[in-house]
Amino acid sequence: MLQPFWVDLHIHTVLSPCGELEMGAPDITAKAREAGIDIIGIADHNTCENYPAIAVAAAGNPVVFPCIETQSAEDIHVLCVFPDYDTALGYKDWLWKKIRPIKNDTEHFGYQVVIDAENNIIKEEDILLIQGAGYEVDQIVAETQRLGGLAILAHVDRPAFSYTAVLGPMPKDYPADAFELSCRLNSDHAAEWRERYRGRTFIRSSDSHTLSDISRENCTKMMLEEPSFKEIKMAIQGKNGRRIPWPWG
Amino acid sequence: MTIGELCKTLNAEVEAPGNINREISKATVGDLLSFVMGTAPEGAVWITIQAHLNVAAVAVLKDLPMIIIASGRKPPHDLVERCLKENICVASVKDTIYGTCIKLASLGFGE
């Protein structure tokens, strides 16, 4: 039987230089539970190494998926959602063949730390994560899908780091699985996007960098049988009755 | 020439002065931040139409002491604030990127 699940696939952790230090493992999972969110995606920039910490801290509530907010050569952000950590790591290996060895400057960008489920620091990532990899957006979408992941164009309404900001409107047949709209978009503007790209699947995500961003209002309700990757994929593709109600009420 | 002299010569509207006495002789151009991050020579003036806060971050990373925002575009408040803090010059010019490059070439700027 289909039930509503609240899904936020775009949450940053302390591994993102722009993520606040409060974005630790028990903190994110506790906030997601408190907010009544069933499924979260841990989506740091160009990496996924804090997924295990959050997944252990969550212990199944909420359900956690490894995601990578990939930055393309054109500075377009793609939210890549993977069914499991091994697949995400396989994708990361491919991605990091074309990440330049630019060192992070903690003074200007902040810290990038990999943690465990109790927020103990395991290592500090010294390569700057907020940089464009040497792959074009089309290659990133194709590789994500080849590995069985979902490629979602991130915050397409934003004036920076979005497909539209760099390359203009998305082609009608663009092979991305879905488009993400920023949670702060008002319902009138969101409706304009739906009208402009009829037939496309839209999701709403928090793109959380602080705990206070995590809330039901900032995520997407999905009608699923269970909180699994397979079900999310069917909902995004509108298959077998799974569906995503319009996230702006 | 110095950053201060270059601002005057280009008739630039200076939004943040930066280190006006610093000598500058190289230029780089680009609107894709990742591309500039990968290719800009240190110490160059950067001409772009990209007026976003992250422009300052790239300038810091590559030690670019001056940013020229071309085609009459204006840098947003947060970019100006950040440049003031980082002592980076940010100035806007009415000329296009191409027009600005012609002027810089005539002044002897290299890559």
Side-chain angles (χ1 to χ4, degrees):
Chain A
M1 201 181 71
L2 295 180
Q3 301 168 47
F5 287 92
W6 293 88
V7 185
D8 185 351
L9 294 174
H10 194 155
I11 295 179
H12 290 270
T13 75
V14 286
L15 184 48
S16 291
C18 43
E20 295 292 325
L21 284 173
E22 64 183 28
M23 296 302 272
D27 317 274
I28 288 172
T29 51
K31 185 66 206 279
R33 273 181 216 141
E34 184 194 313
I37 296 171
D38 307 296
I39 301 169
I40 60 172
I42 295 304
D44 285 309
H45 294 287
N46 290 334
T47 189
C48 54
E49 285 187 67
N50 267 353
Y51 164 77
I54 317 291
V56 170
N61 177 25
V63 172
V64 188
F65 288 103
C67 305
I68 293 181
E69 186 176 27
T70 310
Q71 189 166 328
S72 76
E74 311 96 330
D75 287 336
I76 294 168
H77 286 182
V78 183
L79 182 62
C80 307
V81 185
F82 297 100
D84 54 69
Y85 192 46
D86 279 350
T87 309
L89 281 178
Y91 171 84
K92 193 205 154 198
D93 284 345
W94 171 82
L95 183 66
W96 277 58
K97 284 180 191 155
K98 294 204 177 188
I99 295 276
R100 293 187 202 94
I102 299 170
K103 293 267 191 258
N104 180 34
D105 179 344
T106 53
E107 199 186 314
H108 292 105
F109 300 109
Y111 289 96
Q112 306 179 151
V113 289
V114 177
I115 52 172
D116 68 12
E118 280 96 41
N119 287 352
N120 299 305
I121 294 174
I122 295 172
K123 73 163 191 179
E124 196 177 331
E125 177 57 67
D126 63 350
I127 299 296
L128 180 65
L129 292 171
I130 42 165
Q131 58 165 306
Y135 295 107
E136 290 162 15
V137 62
D138 296 1
Q139 293 174 296
I140 286 159
V141 168
E143 182 65 9
T144 303
Q145 292 170 338
R146 192 186 71 77
L147 293 170
L150 292 163
I152 298 168
L153 294 182
H155 39 66
V156 292
D157 55 297
R158 299 295 305 144
F161 302 115
S162 69
Y163 189 104
T164 48
V166 179
L167 295 178
M170 286 84 68
K172 271 207 164 55
D173 57 352
Y174 196 76
D177 293 285
F179 299 161
E180 178 198 73
L181 291 171
S182 310
C183 61
R184 284 178 187 81
L185 204 62
N186 70 38
S187 56
D188 287 349
H189 284 134
E192 284 170 19
W193 283 90
R194 178 174 58 172
E195 192 59 31
R196 203 175 307 153
Y197 293 96
R198 278 186 186 190
R200 300 297 309 220
T201 299
F202 284 93
I203 63 162
R204 179 179 192 168
S205 313
S206 69
D207 198 355
S208 291
H209 289 77
T210 67
L211 291 175
S212 59
D213 295 334
I214 299 174
S215 73
R216 269 199 180 179
E217 290 71 36
N218 291 349
C219 59
T220 305
K221 186 164 77 175
M222 297 191 185
M223 299 304 291
L224 315 171
E225 274 200 353
E226 53 176 30
S228 67
F229 181 84
K230 206 174 129 209
E231 289 281 323
I232 290 174
K233 190 168 185 171
M234 280 196 277
I236 280 178
Q237 294 173 345
K239 284 185 181 163
N240 302 327
R242 277 70 167 177
R243 62 194 169 83
I244 297 179
W246 177 241
W248 268 265
Chain B
M1 65 177 18
T2 65
I3 285 175
E5 288 165 345
L6 183 57
C7 287
K8 269 197 195 136
T9 310
L10 293 177
N11 244 339
E13 200 162 309
V14 180
E15 311 277 353
N19 183 359
I20 53 167
N21 296 319
R22 182 163 165 177
E23 288 284 334
I24 194 160
S25 61
K26 284 184 287 188
T28 191
V29 169
D31 304 321
L32 287 180
L33 303 190
S34 291
F35 178 79
V36 174
M37 206 188 272
T39 61
E42 288 192 356
V45 51
W46 173 17
I47 308 120
T48 182
I49 55 162
Q50 180 75 268
H52 183 270
L53 176 61
N54 292 43
V55 164
V58 174
V60 167
L61 194 80
K62 299 295 290 194
D63 188 27
L64 306 175
M66 180 177 186
I67 302 158
I68 296 177
I69 312 285
S71 291
R73 289 191 173 213
K74 294 286 174 199
H77 184 68
D78 55 1
L79 172 58
V80 174
E81 286 291 305
R82 188 68 191 261
C83 287
L84 283 168
K85 197 174 146 216
E86 302 287 356
N87 205 26
I88 293 168
C89 172
V90 62
S92 58
V93 294
K94 288 202 178 67
D95 292 316
T96 60
I97 288 179
Y98 183 64
T100 308
C101 289
I102 291 172
K103 286 185 178 169
L104 288 171
S106 73
L107 294 167
F109 275 67
E111 291 185 90

